């Protein structure tokens, strides 16, 4: 079980945002996010949106930094991915 965070490349609200996911289950993801002080409102069906300035803290807490492609492949393989058309 691994928590993954990708590169912050999504612009919104004057910041760049990354995605935080689990490669195993959502409970693991929610527990990690809570330990790191990420609010539940940042959760978007299969991932948390996290600002670029939090990435180093998340990695220090145990998340593994990956590319966006690696994160997407891991999320699909886990069976947790919610497709855009299903949102």
């Amino acid at each position: 079980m691994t928590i993954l965070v990708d590169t912050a490349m999504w612009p919104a609200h004057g910041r760049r945002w990354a995605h935080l996911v689990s490669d195993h289950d959502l409970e693991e993801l929610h527990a990690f996010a809570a330990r790191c002080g990420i609010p539940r409102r940042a959760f978007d069906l299969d991932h948390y949106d996290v600002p670029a300035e939090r990435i180093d803290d998340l990695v220090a807490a145990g998340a593994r930094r990956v590319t966006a492609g690696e994160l997407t492949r891991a999320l699909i393989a886990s069976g947790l991915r919610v497709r855009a058309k299903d949102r």
Side-chain angles (χ1 to χ4, degrees), residues 23-63:
D23 71 348
H24 182 68
D25 70 49
L26 293 180
E27 290 308 312
E28 174 190 37
L29 178 61
H30 293 312
F32 182 86
R35 281 194 309 275
C36 293
I38 299 170
R40 188 67 176 246
R41 70 179 179 274
F43 182 66
D44 186 16
L45 300 178
D46 60 7
H47 70 275
Y48 280 84
D49 294 316
V50 294
E53 61 269 17
R54 291 297 315 273
I55 292 174
D56 288 341
D57 294 336
L58 297 170
V59 170

Side-chain angles (χ1 to χ4, degrees), residues 1-84:
M1 296 180 278
T2 305
I3 300 296
L4 308 171
V5 64
D6 67 0
T7 303
M9 62 181 160
W10 304 98
H13 312 290
R15 301 166 125 174
R16 294 257 179 219
W17 297 80
H19 299 117
L20 184 73
V21 305
S22 169
D23 71 348
H24 182 68
D25 70 49
L26 293 180
E27 290 308 312
E28 174 190 37
L29 178 61
H30 293 312
F32 182 86
R35 281 194 309 275
C36 293
I38 299 170
R40 188 67 176 246
R41 70 179 179 274
F43 182 66
D44 186 16
L45 300 178
D46 60 7
H47 70 275
Y48 280 84
D49 294 316
V50 294
E53 61 269 17
R54 291 297 315 273
I55 292 174
D56 288 341
D57 294 336
L58 297 170
V59 170
R64 193 176 85 193
R65 193 183 306 250
V66 295
T67 67
E70 290 170 318
L71 182 136
T72 301
R73 286 188 293 278
L75 191 58
I76 291 168
S78 74
L80 299 173
R81 179 144 192 242
V82 176
R83 299 176 305 174

